[in-house]
Amino acid sequence: MDYVKAFLIGGLICAIVQIFMDKTKLMPGRIMVGLVVLGCILGFLGWYQPLIEWAGSGASVPLLGFGNTLFKGVKEGIGEKGFLGIFTGGLTASSAGICGALVFGYLASLVFKPKMKS
């Protein structure tokens, strides 16, 4: 049942974002930044963590989950290091995901031989 919940919530988030991309004139980069900021706001309000606990990866993997992770890292960083934690907490909390994205993106580029558009 966990897989079904993750699929439904992750799919719902992606479907809403796709509709938003199709129906507005915003560029995808701005929409992605908006999702990260929305994840931070929902984490601050305490609304996103219950969704993650219920839906698992369906809520933690999309960009909303990344924003929530940044918020939690900054919150912990402030508690440990004070003002300096504002700058280090988010990077510390999300470093594994960022590193994984870079490594696997590089490996995919080696396997699939990307080319520039002409």
Side-chain angles (χ1 to χ4, degrees):
M1 191 62 183
D2 290 339
Y3 295 119
V4 174
K5 290 190 287 189
F7 176 78
L8 290 176
I9 295 300
L12 181 65
I13 291 170
C14 292
I16 291 170
V17 171
Q18 187 64 50
I19 291 168
F20 196 72
M21 289 175 71
D22 291 343
K23 298 297 181 185
T24 66
K25 293 184 179 182
L26 291 173
M27 298 297 291
R30 291 181 186 236
I31 293 171
M32 289 171 29
V33 169
L35 289 169
V36 173
V37 171
L38 183 60
C40 290
I41 292 169
L42 292 174
F44 173 75
L45 295 173
W47 296 349
Y48 205 71
Q49 191 60 38
L51 182 63
I52 289 175
E53 290 170 5
W54 185 77
S57 295
S60 64
V61 170
L63 284 173
L64 291 169
F66 180 68
N68 184 53
T69 301
L70 288 175
F71 165 73
K72 289 191 300 188
V74 169
K75 183 179 172 183
E76 291 173 11
I78 290 172
E80 294 173 5
K81 299 179 182 176
F83 182 74
L84 189 59
I86 294 172
F87 304 105
T88 61
L91 292 173
T92 302
S94 61
S95 61
I98 294 170
C99 183
L102 289 171
V103 168
F104 290 116
Y106 177 72
L107 291 175
S109 73
L110 292 176
V111 171
F112 295 107
K113 310 265 190 237
K115 295 182 175 58
M116 296 296 289
K117 288 185 177 181
S118 55

